[in-house]
Amino acid sequence: MLKIALPNKGRLSEEVRELFNDAGLEVRARGERALTASLGGEFEAIFVRAQDIPEFVADGAAHAGVTGWDLVNESGREVEPLMDLEFGKCRLVVAAREESGITSVDGVKEGMRVASCFPRLTQEFFSRRGQQVTVVPVSGAAEIAPHLGIADIVVDLTSTGSTLKMNGLHEVGTVLESSARLVACKRNGEEAVRKLDELKQALGSVLAARGKRYLMANVPRKVLAQVREVLPGLNGPTVVDIMNGGDFVAVHSVVSAKTIYRTINGLKALGCEGILVTRIERLMP
Ligand code: AMP
């Protein structure tokens, strides 16, 4: 049985569960507060704090885990990055008080105090730039530190920027771009590596499907060439005869969810009928 460490609470936990469920690895926990759960078949989930996951995975207590890339880097532990799961996107940024006059990282002066929940990444960032600062480690709410006078600037996570703004701070530089990652233990055996590769493909097929739609339409045969341009599809559209379809053929295609509105209008303008769009659960090109 392969152990997969998943966040037990917080921002990432819901989306991780949803992704595993969609990939057919339903999280079957015995109760709300269960510490482990079967993922069906070969995998077992262990629920721990997102910041402890790099440690668990590096130690081999779990064969793999899902956590934020920021936390993996802050831990300094060696793990094998397997895939970017594309949610939990955020940036670790340097932020200063609006009235500080600091507008870029270059404006951070020697000896300034920097509050952060990411002391290791903060220290590394300024050392690499040759800037001497004093890092003030905090375990949360770093954005309050400049107002309390315990720091001049902060290094904090942001996604929309609204929390920084609300606290009278503005961004002056980026330390790291982060999102949720599947990471594995570097000492996994052959069997575990093979099973994790299957897991990676299953999760990847769900992520690939999320941005796509399956489109079907009845197309006048004479406009097929133009329709092909509107519907590039995965390997070009599938064209099927319709029984008693007259001058129409059925066209099926995988299309981008982002441009579906434009695609439908393009098809309608070409005289297509019976347009049907559905979600795709899994996509393995
Ligand atoms: P939390 O659940 O707030 O402890 O955060 C866990 C992880 O969620 C962080 O370490 C980040 O990887 C990720 N995350 C995504 N967006 C944000 C955000 N706006 N602020 C903080 N963390 C975020």
Side-chain angles (χ1 to χ4, degrees), residues 9-12 50 68-71 88-90 118 157-159 178:
K9 55 182 179 193
R11 277 173 228 260
L12 302 179
W69 189 233
D70 52 325
L71 297 171
K89 285 194 181 170
C90 57
F118 296 82
L157 287 176
T158 179
S159 46
S178 180

Side-chain angles (χ1 to χ4, degrees), residues 219-280:
V219 174
R221 210 180 279 271
K222 62 178 189 307
V223 299
L224 260 180
Q226 286 137 282
V227 164
R228 203 160 273 152
E229 279 167 33
V230 182
L231 295 177
L234 267 187
N235 299 308
T238 304
V239 180
V240 200
D241 279 329
I242 306 171
M243 197 186 278
N244 306 325
D247 292 334
F248 281 79
V249 285
V251 169
H252 294 198
S253 184
V254 174
V255 295
S256 159
K258 276 192 193 140
T259 53
I260 192 79
Y261 183 80
R262 209 170 345 124
T263 305
I264 291 174
N265 285 337
L267 292 175
K268 283 204 292 205
L270 288 168
C272 299
E273 296 174 359
I275 300 170
L276 199 69
V277 179
T278 67
R279 286 183 187 276
I280 305 170

